[in-house]
Amino acid sequence: AGYGRDGFIQVLNEVESELKSSKGGDFFMGKDVSLVDFMFAPFLERMAASLIYFKGMETLESYQLTKSDYYTHCWDLPPQLGGCSYESDGELYEKAINGERTLDGSRGSWELPLEKDCGGIEPDWKWCGDEGAALREATERLSFNHANIIKFAARGAGRKGMPPYSAPLSDPNATPNEAVLASVDTALRLVSLAMLDGTESYEKDIIAFANTLVKEGGADFAQDTVNSLAYLRDRVGVPRDMRLPAARQLRAHINW
């Protein structure tokens, strides 16, 4: 019901039938990947992000390099399609994918220590290496273009752009709040150090920094800094900015 669900199911059945009839392999044209598979694969991936269903080509390096994560797809898909239909039974998964709560509701799903497979929501990308590799990738991506990243994050405390865009996380005309650039820079430097050396090494530093923000800048200034960090966290895209393991680490360390 709603948004052509019956037609959607019918098309999936037709695709499944076509794949079953393919001779000599698991792809549309047989054992070898063809242009048809590459054209159709992104749609399957987007379905996986929304429906917790997966059918892809993860063994291919060329596919791995372009693979996105559930969070990125769930936010960029509705504007592309003109809207998506929500199911009440999916609320737990929505909150888990958005980093709000784990499936059991015990804590945020973007909190350290990160749960394996996002608590059962999305499989980890084992081909990306171990946790150390993910932390190094996140740090490198954050520091490589740090000046522009800081300005981008400061939009969270700035003014929204005009005209507004249909994509909730997209606002290319937004104006950053330059007053928070230094505080955002300091926060992200601490985040980078924590990713390289461990959060326990910088617990006192982050607490001292937070106290200084409130004491010297006031509660509103401190909140502007927090809003800027959250703005950046929510807009870490996969694979545009980094791969999923690195993105999970960065999102969680910003929450730290």
Side-chain angles (χ1 to χ4, degrees):
Y3 287 97
R5 177 191 291 181
D6 292 341
F8 174 71
I9 294 174
Q10 179 183 345
V11 169
L12 286 181
N13 287 332
E14 291 176 359
V15 171
E16 183 67 18
S17 176
E18 189 69 25
L19 288 171
K20 284 183 177 179
S21 66
S22 178
K23 297 181 179 179
D26 298 325
F27 303 106
F28 281 101
M29 304 301 291
K31 65 182 181 66
D32 296 322
V33 179
S34 69
L35 183 61
V36 180
D37 299 287
F38 283 115
M39 292 288 288
F40 195 73
F43 290 96
L44 287 176
E45 186 182 1
R46 289 166 182 171
M47 293 173 203
S50 302
L51 305 176
I52 317 299
Y53 171 85
F54 183 74
K55 187 174 184 179
M57 298 178 287
E58 291 191 346
T59 58
L60 299 177
E61 183 178 0
S62 56
Y63 176 73
Q64 294 170 1
L65 293 172
T66 62
K67 181 175 172 59
S68 188
D69 69 332
Y70 292 2
Y71 175 78
T72 303
H73 278 317
C74 285
W75 281 95
D76 69 20
L77 185 59
Q80 295 179 38
L81 300 182
C84 290
S85 178
Y86 281 88
E87 294 283 346
S88 58
D89 291 342
E91 184 177 359
L92 289 176
Y93 297 99
E94 177 187 354
K95 289 183 176 180
I97 289 172
N98 285 341
E100 297 176 35
R101 306 303 296 173
T102 54
L103 281 180
D104 63 10
S106 61
R107 63 190 184 96
S109 51
W110 288 356
E111 288 183 12
L112 296 171
L114 290 169
E115 292 187 332
K116 180 183 177 182
D117 300 324
C118 195
I121 293 294
E122 181 174 14
D124 290 331
W125 294 8
K126 294 180 175 60
W127 65 79
C128 292
D130 60 12
E131 181 178 282
L135 290 165
R136 291 190 296 273
E137 179 182 342
T139 305
E140 188 277 331
R141 291 289 84 199
L142 188 60
S143 59
F144 174 75
N145 195 27
H146 68 280
N148 288 326
I149 290 175
I150 292 164
K151 290 180 181 178
F152 177 81
R155 291 178 177 182
R159 294 191 303 273
K160 293 184 178 181
M162 291 297 292
Y165 280 66
S166 60
L169 298 183
S170 177
D171 191 3
N173 298 319
T175 303
N177 182 349
E178 295 191 1
V180 300
L181 292 179
S183 60
V184 171
D185 183 21
T186 301
L188 292 179
R189 288 174 186 270
L190 285 171
V191 165
S192 296
L193 289 169
M195 287 194 293
L196 291 177
D197 300 328
T199 56
E200 64 280 355
S201 300
Y202 297 94
E203 288 287 353
K204 293 181 179 179
D205 298 275
I206 198 69
I207 292 173
F209 170 66
N211 290 336
T212 301
L213 277 183
V214 176
K215 181 180 179 180
E216 302 294 335
D220 289 343
F221 179 78
Q223 188 59 54
D224 283 343
T225 302
V226 170
N227 291 342
S228 297
L229 294 171
Y231 184 92
L232 174 64
R233 175 202 65 202
D234 294 346
R235 287 162 178 78
V236 176
V238 177
R240 180 194 62 195
D241 302 316
M242 58 194 72
R243 295 177 297 182
L244 175 59
R248 290 190 70 204
Q249 291 292 345
L250 179 54
R251 292 163 182 162
H253 277 79
I254 289 177
N255 278 342
W256 164 63

